[in-house]
Amino acid sequence: MDQIESKIVRKLPDLLMNDWKNIFLSELGESYFESMQVKLSKKMQSDEVFPPQDAIFQAFNLCSFADTQVVIIGQDPYHGKGQAHGLCFSVTSGLPLPPSLRNIKKELHLDLDVFLTNQDGDLSLWAKQGVLLLNSILTVSEARPGSHEDIGWQKLTSLAIEKISKEKEHVVFLLWGHYAQQLAKNVDEKKHLLLKSSHPSPLSANRGGWFGNKVFSKTNDYLIAHQKKAINWL
């Protein structure tokens, strides 16, 4: 094994732990993963890549296809050391909240009219309740946002959105900003609820359309109306 290949110890499909693995392999095939692995290995040879290898598919591993009832879409992982752990908008426990996540927490407070005692930035508890926290691009090089657009992640994550739209019913898609709204433009609005708002980043949020959007209570109202369990957002 040469030096480049040694940067990835495990094959990408081996990092998927539930029903998503069969979905992706049956739709995309081993060769697609092999192509992505070669490209990712080259990035890892020259750059520090986030999130850690075992967390690349964390969004899928914590929220199986069968359990998915809410989808939140981001662009690519945080590019600061130690932040990204495979869930969009979420950071490793104990780290300071990035600006977008601070605004998410503020809107939670406004929407649910409760004091948030949990100010930790790890959103894993959401994922374990059926919230797919999905970045369109699953890896990034340190300090270089958008640097892994050429890996091929978008085909995989677009497939995930397509499969949810076609094969499930009454899923809530939280589409924050233009990027997320474009990725989900083909979601069947007759079968699912699409809640669109501005992005929670300070620039977008301060222009209006984020604070007061009540997406969290609207999500729970919809889930309950369709005999599903509400999400504990706190």
Side-chain angles (χ1 to χ4, degrees):
M1 182 177 290
D2 64 28
Q3 187 177 3
I4 292 176
E5 289 175 338
S6 69
K7 286 283 188 172
I8 293 186
V9 178
R10 298 171 62 190
K11 291 188 176 182
L12 287 174
D14 293 341
L15 300 175
L16 283 160
M17 302 300 176
N18 54 29
D19 52 6
W20 284 111
K21 181 173 183 173
N22 290 333
I23 290 170
F24 292 141
L25 287 177
S26 63
E27 297 282 345
L28 300 174
E30 291 277 1
S31 61
Y32 183 75
F33 280 88
E34 290 170 2
S35 174
M36 288 198 299
Q37 183 139 359
V38 169
K39 294 174 183 178
L40 184 58
S41 294
K42 291 179 180 179
K43 301 278 190 186
M44 295 176 75
Q45 176 66 15
S46 58
D47 302 338
E48 185 75 15
V49 171
F50 306 131
Q53 180 183 209
D54 287 347
I56 288 174
F57 294 125
Q58 188 78 326
F60 298 113
N61 288 336
L62 291 184
C63 180
S64 70
F65 176 80
D67 290 340
T68 299
Q69 56 181 3
V70 179
V71 179
I72 300 177
I73 300 173
Q75 187 163 352
D76 61 354
Y78 294 118
H79 51 84
K81 189 177 292 291
Q83 290 182 302
H85 66 130
L87 307 176
C88 73
F89 295 104
S90 179
V91 291
T92 305
S93 183
L95 292 184
L97 301 185
S100 291
L101 187 50
R102 282 202 303 270
N103 284 339
I104 290 171
K105 295 277 188 177
K106 288 179 183 177
E107 175 56 24
L108 268 173
H109 166 72
L110 292 170
D111 185 359
L112 305 182
D113 194 25
V114 293
F115 178 74
L116 297 181
T117 56
N118 178 13
Q119 289 295 335
D120 193 85
D122 184 348
L123 304 180
S124 296
L125 290 178
W126 293 8
K128 292 175 182 178
Q129 297 176 78
V131 181
L132 183 64
L133 293 159
L134 182 63
N135 277 315
S136 172
I137 303 167
L138 299 184
T139 54
V140 70
S141 294
E142 183 175 14
R144 294 174 57 200
S147 53
H148 288 204
E149 288 181 338
D150 59 345
I151 295 288
W153 294 124
Q154 297 95 319
K155 186 173 181 179
L156 182 145
T157 52
S158 293
L159 172 62
I161 295 168
E162 176 186 326
K163 294 292 282 188
I164 292 168
S165 177
K166 287 185 176 180
E167 298 186 14
K168 296 181 72 73
E169 291 185 342
H170 309 311
V171 173
V172 182
F173 288 80
L174 302 185
L175 306 177
W176 300 340
H178 179 74
Y179 185 88
Q181 290 162 22
Q182 284 297 110
L183 281 177
K185 63 184 179 181
N186 294 322
V187 171
D188 188 346
E189 295 191 52
K190 295 179 181 178
K191 294 171 59 182
H192 308 287
L193 176 64
L194 279 64
L195 294 177
K196 302 176 183 180
S197 71
S198 64
H199 195 275
S201 66
L203 183 61
S204 295
N206 292 334
R207 289 175 176 169
W210 171 253
F211 295 114
N213 63 40
K214 296 187 178 296
V215 292
F216 302 105
S217 59
K218 288 177 181 177
T219 295
N220 280 349
D221 289 345
Y222 180 84
L223 293 175
I224 292 169
H226 291 90
Q227 293 76 51
K228 294 189 175 187
K229 189 174 181 179
I231 304 299
N232 178 8
W233 300 107
L234 304 180

